[in-house]
Amino acid sequence: QVQLVESGGGLVRSGDSLALACAASGRTYSDYLMAWFRQAPGKGREFAAAIRGGDGTADYADSVKGRFTISRDRAKKTMYLQMNSLKPEDTAVYYCAIAPARGRLSRLDRDYTYWGQGTQVTVSS
């Protein structure tokens, strides 16, 4: 079992920055894939970014590429999402997720096994 705890959400203004964190606890896996998804009001869950736990290779949705940075600290078992140049359209509930023992990058939410509770990010204009 893996538990994920998110933090860092809040209310910011357009152009501001915000950093999210997702702390994992539980069993250790030989390899894993971690990702951030987001869900805006009235919309489905959307892929934002993913990172391979083993080597740090990252993947970004076009909507966030160049503005968001995903990273991980293996010693702390924590994943981060640094969000810069935030826009109102970034407003959503952000979820972290993990796919245990997976090495290939994925943008599909159904490929992920464990999920955090979500944290609200609101960007005002």
Side-chain angles (χ1 to χ4, degrees):
Q1 294 293 109
V2 175
Q3 295 79 44
L4 303 177
V5 179
E6 295 151 317
S7 62
L11 173 64
V12 298
R13 298 186 64 180
S14 180
D16 284 354
S17 297
L18 195 64
L20 306 181
C22 175
S25 62
R27 64 176 293 176
T28 301
Y29 296 94
S30 59
D31 199 5
Y32 55 92
L33 181 65
M34 307 181 74
W36 289 95
F37 290 81
R38 63 187 187 179
Q39 187 167 20
K43 300 295 183 65
R45 196 157 43 189
E46 176 190 38
F47 170 81
I51 186 168
R52 290 178 58 182
D55 64 6
T57 301
D59 181 38
Y60 298 94
D62 289 342
S63 58
V64 308
K65 188 177 179 62
R67 299 187 298 119
F68 291 10
T69 302
I70 188 171
S71 63
R72 88 281 189 241
D73 186 324
R74 284 179 286 179
K76 296 180 179 179
K77 296 198 293 185
T78 301
M79 176 178 63
Y80 305 92
L81 185 67
Q82 177 65 48
M83 304 182 292
N84 298 326
S85 301
L86 283 163
K87 307 173 181 179
E89 49 263 46
D90 294 318
T91 295
V93 176
Y94 283 71
Y95 300 90
C96 65
I98 292 179
R102 183 185 178 93
R104 291 184 299 164
L105 290 165
S106 174
R107 298 185 175 190
L108 304 176
D109 55 3
R110 57 184 168 86
D111 283 340
Y112 294 83
T113 302
Y114 300 102
W115 294 81
Q117 79 285 356
T119 185
Q120 178 70 49
V121 173
T122 302
V123 185
S124 63
S125 58

